Amino acid sequence: MKEFHQLLGKVIFSDSASTLIISFGVLFIFASLFIIGRRFKSALRLERLGIPISILVGTFALLIGPYGPYPLLPQTITDVWIRLPTPLLTLVFATLMLGKPLPKGSSLWQPVASQALLGLLLGFGQYLIGGIAVLIFLSPVLDVDPLMGCLIEIGFEGGHGAAAIMGNSFEKIGFSQGLDLGLAMATVGLLSSTLIGSGLVVLGRSLGWISSINNQNNIEDDLISGDQISIYSQIRQLAINIAFVGLAVLFGITLLSCLRQLGSYLGGQFYEVSSIFPVFPLALIGSLFIRFFLEKFDKTEFVSEILQREIGILSTDLLITTAMAGLNLPLLLQDWLPISILALSGLIWNLLGMFLFARILFKDKWFERSIIEFGNATGVAASGILLLRLADPKDDTNTLPIFSIKQLFLQPLLSGGLITVIAPLYILKLGLTGWTELCGVLTIAFILLAMILQNKLEQDIA
């Protein structure tokens, strides 16, 4: 039966010229399912129970994908989809700052600083934990390459996009299996983030950790109120909001082009970093500028918080689905032992960050502000936003703008940024022991800074 499905898929999708059209056609069907499905109360109840719709659709896509038991979708289709996480993540980041008012000065620095400290703790701690796991067990017992100490941060924080980009760098420095191992780690990170994170949301709701537990109104209420305006007005408003998103993306592409031109002029390590730097952090800057000018000239009525949230949610759902559809399950089985050890180490560290360090940093709304960082540090930013949506559907805690502003500073460093790029080079120069010690010192320093920041905040309140 499996051979019949594979043969059927080859016959249907044999024309390479139509592969792109069919790929986006199937993706459009999934998008329609998300848009329609989220209007049903049963689907909304599932999300409140910690079961994202994207996971259900993604599981279905995995079952009919090339590595599933019913491979109706050939690999040519999922090969197109595997390139979509970065563009979809760019759309997510382009909507982050557009829909809500910008936080104001004096009340902004402390929450952003504490959010940034948690992000730095988790990121550098992943290098520390990965280095320890390789030095103590994986290298002596399995004789693995020392560069495997980078894989937790690359796969968990960076995701499939960073793993694919870093694969070329690994190839140049002699770590040829780095690409496959990075993609496998990203796969484990994505699944762990959504499944474990969803379970944490359910646990948090039952134990009263979620501060917005009594306010479970979903966007369904907003959509019902929006039905009163004419279809023409709705289409016009949708077009304007899509245009704003496109403008933010265009800003990011333009800025990235300028950075790469500057990199080619300066050469050296700056060129290496700029040549693989992703566009989505710069799209976030674009959305920030657009929102700033709309507020400055009192034109915020042109942008809809509901539509911006809907565009971001749909992009997140499609990102999760397309990533799950192409999961290479045989690859996970091939190197299951080192991947399992590294993934388990990274998960323990991220959970420690959420339940220990976050409690130090966040006295108020700690669960919402830490669950988004857990998702970001385990399965990239889109997973973090998905988990925040489950815990706080309407962002009553104002966590999303704080996280977004924090990403402006941290995204160029971690998750495929500067530190991700230079880490393998420093391991080659310092050795894995030296790099792990450096990350250990930085991690301890961030913990101390977190304690000092929280102590200062308590003194200010007193």
Side-chain angles (χ1 to χ4, degrees):
M1 180 63 71
K2 184 173 181 179
E3 288 77 9
F4 171 76
H5 287 140
Q6 290 175 335
L7 179 61
L8 179 63
K10 289 180 180 178
V11 171
I12 296 175
F13 301 108
S14 59
D15 185 4
S16 58
S18 63
T19 298
L20 194 64
I21 298 174
I22 296 174
S23 300
F24 283 96
V26 176
L27 197 65
F28 177 78
I29 294 174
F30 282 140
S32 302
L33 288 175
F34 285 127
I35 293 172
I36 297 171
R38 293 187 68 249
R39 271 60 181 175
F40 292 104
K41 290 184 178 181
S42 56
L44 298 177
R45 287 196 205 100
L46 283 175
E47 290 213 339
R48 289 172 185 170
L49 291 173
I51 306 174
I53 303 173
S54 55
I55 292 297
L56 298 178
V57 179
T59 302
F60 172 74
L62 176 61
L63 292 175
I64 65 172
Y67 303 106
Y70 308 101
L72 294 175
L73 285 176
Q75 193 167 350
T76 52
I77 302 298
T78 57
D79 283 346
V80 174
W81 286 1
I82 205 170
R83 301 171 189 167
L84 295 179
T86 297
L88 289 170
L89 190 57
T90 302
L91 289 179
V92 173
F93 273 74
T95 63
L96 287 183
M97 304 300 296
L98 283 171
K100 294 179 73 72
L102 296 177
K104 303 305 178 184
S106 59
S107 62
L108 179 63
W109 79 269
Q110 193 278 332
V112 171
S114 56
Q115 199 81 31
L117 276 174
L118 181 59
L120 290 168
L121 261 172
L122 293 174
F124 280 97
Q126 287 177 358
Y127 283 117
L128 171 63
I129 296 299
I132 292 174
V134 172
L135 290 169
I136 291 179
F137 183 79
L138 292 179
S139 187
V141 176
L142 300 178
D143 193 29
V144 302
D145 194 298
L147 291 172
M148 285 190 71
C150 300
L151 288 182
I152 298 178
E153 196 277 338
I154 290 173
F156 276 20
E157 291 233 13
H160 291 82
I165 290 171
M166 291 303 298
N168 297 326
S169 299
F170 282 141
E171 186 73 33
K172 293 178 183 177
I173 57 181
F175 185 34
S176 57
Q177 68 269 40
L179 173 61
D180 291 338
L181 290 172
L183 291 173
M185 186 63 64
T187 298
V188 174
L190 178 65
L191 291 174
S192 301
S193 173
T194 49
L195 297 178
I196 296 177
S198 299
L200 290 174
V201 172
V202 174
L203 181 65
R205 189 172 290 121
S206 64
L207 295 179
W209 292 339
I210 297 178
S211 56
S212 59
I213 191 168
N214 294 320
N215 188 1
Q216 290 298 319
N217 296 323
N218 207 283
I219 59 172
E220 182 188 32
D221 302 326
D222 300 322
L223 295 170
I224 291 174
S225 64
D227 288 338
Q228 306 303 319
I229 62 176
S230 67
I231 295 178
Y232 169 77
S233 298
Q234 291 184 47
I235 294 175
R236 178 177 176 272
Q237 191 177 34
L238 177 62
I240 291 173
N241 278 268
I242 291 176
F244 278 133
V245 174
L247 193 59
V249 173
L250 181 61
F251 178 93
I253 293 173
T254 304
L255 187 55
L256 181 61
S257 178
C258 294
L259 285 176
R260 288 179 175 172
Q261 288 291 333
L262 182 61
S264 62
Y265 175 76
L266 296 176
Q269 197 161 294
F270 188 89
Y271 170 74
E272 185 176 354
V273 174
S274 63
S275 63
I276 63 175
F277 194 78
V279 69
F280 51 83
L282 306 179
L284 175 59
I285 297 176
S287 70
L288 174 66
F289 279 144
I290 293 172
R291 181 71 198 194
F292 172 78
F293 284 112
L294 287 173
E295 291 187 3
K296 185 175 179 62
F297 294 101
D298 197 23
K299 298 294 182 181
T300 55
E301 71 273 9
F302 288 113
V303 67
S304 166
E305 177 182 350
I306 301 169
L307 288 176
Q308 290 299 323
R309 189 170 64 217
E310 281 283 275
I311 294 170
I313 287 173
L314 179 60
S315 301
T316 303
D317 289 339
L318 289 176
L319 190 155
I320 300 294
T321 300
T322 53
M324 288 187 67
L327 293 184
N328 193 333
L329 300 179
L331 180 62
L332 293 178
L333 297 175
Q334 180 180 339
D335 295 292
W336 70 272
L337 183 56
I339 291 173
S340 298
I341 292 172
L342 288 173
L344 183 61
S345 302
L347 277 172
I348 292 173
W349 173 255
N350 289 349
L351 289 170
L352 184 68
M354 180 174 176
F355 288 102
L356 177 60
F357 302 133
R359 291 295 191 108
I360 296 173
L361 282 163
F362 312 133
K363 296 298 181 183
D364 186 33
K365 306 168 187 173
W366 73 271
F367 186 85
E368 291 87 350
R369 294 184 61 185
S370 61
I371 193 67
I372 193 171
E373 288 297 337
F374 172 81
N376 179 58
T378 311
V380 305
S383 295
I385 295 169
L386 173 69
L387 295 179
L388 178 65
R389 191 179 86 207
L390 296 177
D392 185 10
K394 297 182 71 175
D395 195 32
D396 297 316
T397 59
N398 206 35
T399 297
L400 190 56
I402 293 171
F403 173 80
S404 303
I405 295 174
K406 183 268 307 184
Q407 288 295 96
L408 288 173
F409 302 101
L410 260 63
Q411 195 70 52
L413 296 176
L414 299 165
S415 309
L418 178 64
I419 302 299
T420 306
V421 173
I422 67 174
L425 304 177
Y426 272 76
I427 289 176
L428 292 178
K429 292 179 181 179
L430 300 176
L432 181 58
T433 302
W435 172 251
T436 303
E437 290 173 349
L438 175 61
C439 291
V441 170
L442 289 172
T443 302
I444 293 172
F446 293 136
I447 293 173
L448 293 176
L449 280 174
M451 292 179 175
I452 292 171
L453 180 65
Q454 186 57 43
N455 184 57
K456 184 179 183 303
L457 178 63
E458 290 176 352
Q459 289 177 354
D460 292 342
I461 294 175

